[in-house]
Each structure stands twice: as C-alpha cells, then as structure tokens.
Amino acid sequence: MIRFSVLASSSRGNATVISGGGTHVLVDTGISALRIRKGLAECGLHDSEISGVFFTHEHQDHVCGLGVLSKKRALNLYCSRYLAKDLRGMAPNGVFTYLEPGQTVQVGALSVTPFCVSHDAVDPLGYVFECEGVRLGYVTDTGIIMREMPAMLAGVQGLYLESNYDQEMLDNSGRTPDLIRRISGRWGHLSNAQACDFVRAIAHQDLQHLVLAHISPECNTPAKATAAMRATLDELQLPTRLHCAQMAERLDWIEIGI
C-alpha cells in the first residue's frame, strides 16, 4: 500500500507527504516550515520521521520552506545535479542525491523513478513512487504531456496531476499577453483540458484515485477543474475517485493498493 496526503497545493505553495512500507518522504517544500510541520502532525508524523525530500523544481512555490525546515537537522534531499546548485544555499547541510530521469532510487521501502517534464525551470521532474507493486504518479508544472509520460505512468493506481488553469479564465484574467503565452505554452502549465487529455491517454480500470493539483486561484476554480475531469472519467467509465487539492486545507490521507 501507498498513502499520501497533500499538505497544500496551488500556484501559491505545494507540499505532499507520501508513505509506503513505513517510509515517509516529502515532495516539495513550497509552504512555510511551520505549515509543513503542522501538516505532518495532522498526519500523525514528526518531521524527524521524513526519510527524504524530493523536489520537482526550484520555483518558490515548491521550495520556500526548505531553509527553515533544514536548520534543525541535515535532510536527505533528492533532485537533479543542476537543481542542487540552487538548493545548496537554502540547505547547506543537506545531503544531496542527484537524480537522473529514468533511473530508480531506493529510499527505505519506496522505489522512486524521476522523469522529465516541460517547465521553465532547472531540470524539472515528475515522479513515480512504488511500494510492493503499488504505484503513484506525480505530475505537476509541465506545459505539455511529453512523449515519455504515458509510458512512465501506465498502470498507476494513484495519480497526482496538475490542472492549473481554465483557458477562458486565463484569457480574460487581465494578464499580459506574454504571461498568458508563458502559462499556456510548452514550458508553462497544464490546463483543465490538457489534464483530461492526459487521463484519456493512460486510462485504465485500476486507477483508484486521482488528485487534481496546482490549481490557479486567479485562472481556475476547483469546481471548473473537477467538473471537467468528472466528465472525462464518466466518459471513460472509470471508477476512479476524484479529489481536488487546495492551498488552505490539507487533503487527508488517500490510500492506494493492489
């Protein structure tokens, strides 16, 4: 079994705890250390029980809590070699493991395989977490569905998936044309429609849980993202349970198994 709890997710901050076989890891530290510790406590965990922190990329909404979180003890940090150069200043005592796309690392009972995503950051990554045959896909901050992604995520029982913006809301947001192009371009984020297309590409009857994440508070709403994905799941006749992660409220433990 793998279980995971989203401590926070939106364009303003992201952090998730993932557990399997007694091993606990974080993905991103994009909220304050105080909120991370509070969220972990609500999960029944202490930050000393975290075996490692995996990073998707270096933007502040994914790393801002690292400095304070790492002051009390040396953390095991997992990221690309180039991203480590940016993170060392925040966590000088961190113990870094460099990741290569497609190469699996073992952290306790969890096997973790990174893969490339398409974002305007230093070597951004998505992940597949596996424990005893149970697999969780983690995809955020990517402007397109890259060719390798469907194969990497085929058969996952759980999926954390960015559904960042609604195209009409983005177009009418008052943002500059350049910013709109950046968000909706190949190095930006996934729209609700693109998230639905990705689920169509990997759809299978054993997809137990799907979490919509990184929802923009200005260019999307949980209701719009959920409605679009619910229609897609109904179209595909999938029994998948749909969840929506938000910034202000922790999404409680979700369990996936065989």
Side-chain angles (χ1 to χ4, degrees):
M1 181 186 75
I2 288 179
R3 63 178 186 161
F4 63 105
S5 173
V6 183
L7 306 185
S9 181
S10 84
S11 300
R12 297 174 181 171
N14 301 272
T16 299
V17 59
I18 298 173
S19 297
T23 300
H24 316 288
V25 300
L26 283 172
V27 182
D28 288 336
T29 59
I31 53 178
S32 71
L34 180 64
R35 281 197 64 193
I36 291 173
R37 291 186 177 118
K38 179 177 181 292
L40 289 174
E42 291 173 358
C43 292
L45 297 172
H46 188 271
D47 62 344
S48 63
E49 297 178 84
I50 297 300
S51 297
V53 185
F54 288 82
F55 289 95
T56 59
H57 62 294
E58 78 280 8
H59 290 166
Q60 284 297 296
D61 60 326
H62 294 264
V63 304
C64 69
L66 175 59
V68 175
L69 193 67
S70 65
K71 282 185 177 179
K72 289 187 176 180
R73 67 185 184 98
L75 297 173
N76 296 313
L77 306 177
Y78 296 82
C79 63
S80 74
R81 184 180 300 274
Y82 295 104
L83 177 52
K85 294 179 181 179
D86 287 345
L87 298 184
R88 283 190 189 282
M90 301 179 69
N93 296 322
V95 179
F96 284 86
T97 297
Y98 303 135
L99 302 176
E100 294 290 342
Q103 295 185 9
T104 300
V105 296
Q106 193 74 31
V107 181
L110 288 170
S111 300
V112 187
T113 307
F115 55 87
C116 293
V117 298
S118 180
H119 195 54
D120 54 356
V122 177
D123 283 349
L125 296 172
Y127 294 99
V128 175
F129 296 86
E130 184 171 356
C131 181
E132 298 178 347
V134 179
R135 301 171 70 236
L136 168 66
Y138 200 97
V139 183
T140 187
D141 291 66
T142 185
I144 59 172
I145 300 302
M146 298 180 72
R147 182 169 48 190
E148 301 84 2
M149 287 185 190
M152 284 293 302
L153 293 158
V156 294
Q157 290 96 349
L159 179 62
Y160 174 104
L161 179 64
E162 171 177 67
S163 191
N164 181 251
Y165 66 92
D166 170 80
Q167 188 67 59
E168 184 177 2
M169 286 185 69
L170 176 63
D171 291 341
N172 295 319
S173 65
R175 297 183 174 191
T176 65
D178 283 348
L179 182 54
I180 290 173
R181 282 192 292 270
R182 179 256 166 188
I183 292 170
S184 60
R186 68 176 290 117
W187 308 110
H189 294 276
L190 291 184
S191 68
N192 294 341
Q194 288 173 302
C196 292
D197 286 342
F198 182 61
V199 170
R200 290 187 185 96
I202 66 163
H204 64 100
Q205 290 295 312
D206 292 326
L207 178 59
Q208 299 168 19
H209 291 275
L210 169 59
V211 174
L212 300 179
H214 211 292
I215 291 172
S216 168
E218 295 84 20
C219 299
N220 205 359
T221 67
K224 284 182 178 290
T226 301
M229 188 58 72
R230 172 50 59 199
T232 300
L233 294 174
D234 290 346
E235 164 199 324
L236 297 169
Q237 298 184 340
L238 294 183
T240 308
R241 291 188 61 185
L242 182 61
H243 313 264
C244 189
Q246 301 188 50
M247 181 62 188
E249 184 176 349
R250 181 180 69 89
L251 189 61
D252 203 1
W253 285 116
I254 295 170
E255 296 184 355
I256 56 176
I258 295 178

